[in-house]
Amino acid sequence: MKVDLSDKIAVITGAGGILAGNFAVHMAKCGAKVAVMDIDQAAAEKTAAEIRANGGEAIAIACDVLSKESMEEAEKKVVAAFGGYNILVNGAGGNNIKVSTTEDKFSQKAVDDPDMISFFDLDIPLFRRVVDLNLMGTFIPTQVFVKGLRKAEHPQIINMSSMSSYTALTRVVAYSNAKAAINSLTQWLTVHLGPLGIRVNAIAPGFFVTKQNKAMMTNPDGSLTPRSQKVIDHTPLGRMGEPDDLIGLLLFLCDHTASGYINGTVIPVDGGFMATPGV
Ligand SMILES: NC(=O)c1ccc[n+]([C@@H]2O[C@H](COP(=O)([O-])OP(=O)(O)OC[C@H]3O[C@@H](n4cnc5c(N)ncnc54)[C@H](O)[C@@H]3O)[C@@H](O)[C@H]2O)c1
């Protein structure tokens, strides 16, 4: 899919990662200039290098979405390189398997087995870190970048939600709570920033094997875990998502001529996962 994004300058956090990195590559292919941001400098450089190798324009910026100072520094670098920006994609986020219960439901076996994570083992600082990364890691860049978005033409923000945001998924309690908060934040920002003409939407992907969930979705030999098989069985299209499955919606949202009146939504791209409760 190709749309004309030659009038767009996009800031994408987490763009050293699988999903947001692919966003950056596709937006650049459509003509957008891209600021590729990630806490992992090498990963950000890799995405930016791929964009430049394709003939696109990109800068890599190492920064931490949990630090306002770091994001303010990053913002200055984007303005110095491109003069401004009109799209913010809050792509940084993810879960941590260490704060996910080993089993779907409470079991005495998990309580007794030191190798399993039971309800009682859920680590509070790690829980906070997952909520922070997803929620504050979306809020902080938004607070910083609205300063420039408010001066831009057709400004917009795209957040990353999840299937875990509508009803909580088993095991991933911190992540589910954080993603539910992303839906609420998306609505709140839509209303609050409405007077600035900034559109705010969120993409809610189904299940994609990436860096942040690899340990939960695949075995060390690369085969799918029983949990992944359960996801596939529950997905009407019978497969996991591929990063390119999100690109149609992303480009549609970025193209204000196509989606200029779409605002305040959380849109699933899930192969039909949400259509069935599984029974
Ligand atoms: N993979 C899925 O199935 C899935 C489903 C729904 C939603 N999502 C969401 O999509 C987004 C992208 O995730 P992904 O699956 O591509 O994961 P990923 O691990 O491949 O990418 C996440 C990137 O964020 C970066 N990051 C982590 N902490 C950061 C920080 N403090 N500051 C800046 N960058 C930081 C990481 O270095 C990494 O490159 C996340 O919000 C995730 O929750 C993923």
Side-chain angles (χ1 to χ4, degrees), residues 13-21 23 37-41 43-44 61-67 70-71 90-95 133-134 137-138 159-164 175 179 182 203-213 217 240-241 246:
T13 70
I18 307 272
L19 299 184
F23 287 4
M37 298 193 178
D38 205 286
I39 200 164
D40 178 342
Q41 177 156 11
I61 301 175
C63 56
D64 180 357
V65 291
L66 293 177
S67 156
S70 172
M71 295 316 295
N90 285 307
N95 188 37
L133 173 60
N134 291 279
T138 296
N159 294 332
M160 289 303 272
S161 180
S162 157
M163 284 305 106
S164 66
Y175 185 69
K179 289 303 190 186
I182 289 292
I203 296 175
F207 296 81
F208 298 68
V209 179
T210 61
K211 286 190 273 184
Q212 52 94 13
N213 62 13
M217 305 301 270
M240 293 277 184
L246 301 174

Side-chain angles (χ1 to χ4, degrees), residues 56-275:
E57 238 183 286
I59 54 164
I61 301 175
C63 56
D64 180 357
V65 291
L66 293 177
S67 156
K68 192 164 175 192
E69 296 71 39
S70 172
M71 295 316 295
E72 283 170 342
E73 281 303 306
E75 198 265 352
K76 284 185 198 141
K77 288 179 188 165
V78 181
V79 173
F82 296 141
Y85 44 85
N86 46 13
I87 300 178
L88 169 66
V89 180
N90 285 307
N95 188 37
N96 184 329
I97 195 171
K98 293 186 191 137
V99 70
S100 307
T101 56
T102 310
E103 296 197 315
D104 292 356
K105 295 182 183 175
F106 188 96
S107 79
Q108 191 57 42
K109 186 171 156 238
V111 175
D112 295 340
D113 185 338
D115 293 331
M116 293 172 86
I117 300 173
S118 78
F119 174 74
F120 298 120
D121 298 324
L122 290 169
D123 182 77
I124 303 301
L126 272 187
F127 194 124
R128 284 210 176 99
R129 219 188 294 167
V130 169
V131 173
D132 257 7
L133 173 60
N134 291 279
L135 177 58
M136 298 315 293
T138 296
F139 183 75
I140 292 169
T142 300
Q143 192 180 44
V144 169
F145 282 92
V146 163
K147 289 188 185 134
L149 287 175
R150 62 183 298 193
K151 300 182 216 147
E153 285 239 310
H154 310 300
Q156 66 165 308
I157 298 167
I158 299 173
N159 294 332
M160 289 303 272
S161 180
S162 157
M163 284 305 106
S164 66
S165 70
Y166 302 96
T167 45
L169 293 177
T170 57
R171 304 191 192 191
V172 293
V173 58
Y175 185 69
S176 292
N177 279 272
K179 289 303 190 186
I182 289 292
N183 293 8
S184 176
L185 178 64
T186 300
Q187 292 173 333
W188 188 87
L189 290 169
T190 305
V191 175
H192 197 77
L193 304 179
L196 302 178
I198 300 175
R199 287 194 294 133
V200 189
N201 292 289
I203 296 175
F207 296 81
F208 298 68
V209 179
T210 61
K211 286 190 273 184
Q212 52 94 13
N213 62 13
K214 203 168 179 211
M216 199 163 217
M217 305 301 270
T218 59
N219 297 312
D221 66 2
S223 61
L224 293 178
T225 59
R227 184 174 172 88
S228 292
Q229 196 51 54
K230 212 165 151 187
V231 166
I232 291 172
D233 293 344
H234 189 101
T235 301
L237 289 183
R239 65 171 177 85
M240 293 277 184
E242 295 293 333
D244 280 358
D245 289 324
L246 301 174
I247 299 304
L249 174 59
L250 172 79
L251 297 180
F252 168 69
L253 288 175
C254 288
D255 179 2
H256 66 270
T257 62
S259 63
Y261 202 54
I262 294 182
N263 195 18
T265 63
V266 179
I267 305 178
V269 184
D270 66 346
F273 180 87
M274 277 222 308

